[in-house]
Amino acid sequence: MATFELEVVTPDKTVVKSEVQMVVCPGTEGEFGVLPHHVSLLSALKIGPLRYTNAAGETAVVFVSGGFVDMNNNICSVLAESAEHAADIDKARAMAAKERAEQRIASKSDAIDETRAEAALQRALMRLHISEYVA
Ligand code: ATP
């Protein structure tokens, strides 16, 4: 089975560095799949699950909170604002972040705070959703 290299990095860590058979990314225009020898591509990512199948045929799910994916010369590089494997998501932390964001939205402060709170809420809800994959 043909494979290619997947790297998922954030400003503070490398979350994935693996030979993979396939990656499915949460693109801003919708989910898309990347297979070996995919044509070069550069795409923006939204908050969502990134799924991959490694060389042994095992699947994994990683939370990503936006960023970019670049596929070039059979190397798929994901630069994410933050990312965690489903099993590494701290559910209590995500629940606390959800409650903080909901309180900020309910308090109807200025527009910038509301936009940031909406994004924090989306991250928290997606983390809680993805953590169910390993429940
Ligand atoms: P919080 O308010 O809990 O920090 P956040 O959505 O603002 O949540 P991010 O800015 O996306 O957090 O991420 C900051 C760092 O904390 C990253 O390294 C990210 O991987 C990690 N992180 C955030 N939330 C969680 C979580 N629920 N479980 C595990 N790691 C998390």
Side-chain angles (χ1 to χ4, degrees), residues 83-97:
E84 304 103 44
H85 274 285
D88 294 334
I89 293 173
D90 179 336
K91 288 188 198 185
R93 178 173 170 174
M95 188 57 79

Side-chain angles (χ1 to χ4, degrees), residues 89-121:
I89 293 173
D90 179 336
K91 288 188 198 185
R93 178 173 170 174
M95 188 57 79
K98 172 180 174 288
E99 282 163 12
R100 273 197 312 279
E102 283 171 343
Q103 280 163 13
R104 266 186 248 133
I105 291 164
S107 75
K108 299 213 185 305
S109 48
D110 62 77
I112 294 170
D113 272 350
E114 190 164 335
T115 304
R116 289 179 58 184
E118 287 287 358
L121 179 59

Side-chain angles (χ1 to χ4, degrees), residues 58-75:
E58 298 154 345
T59 58
V61 185
V62 176
F63 163 87
V64 292
S65 70
F68 291 91
V69 56
D70 171 69
M71 177 71 170
N72 222 328
N73 290 328
N74 230 22
I75 299 174

Side-chain angles (χ1 to χ4, degrees), residues 12-79:
D12 54 319
K13 60 192 174 209
T14 297
V15 179
V16 181
K17 190 169 170 64
S18 177
E19 282 296 313
V20 300
Q21 298 178 14
M22 184 187 76
V23 181
V24 178
C25 298
T28 49
E29 308 296 320
E31 280 203 330
F32 61 90
V34 180
L35 291 167
H37 305 292
H38 196 288
V39 290
S40 293
L41 83 88
L42 178 63
S43 172
L45 297 177
K46 64 181 182 184
I47 294 168
L50 179 145
R51 301 184 184 85
Y52 66 88
T53 304
N54 70 14
E58 298 154 345
T59 58
V61 185
V62 176
F63 163 87
V64 292
S65 70
F68 291 91
V69 56
D70 171 69
M71 177 71 170
N72 222 328
N73 290 328
N74 230 22
I75 299 174
C76 184
S77 303
V78 177
L79 302 172

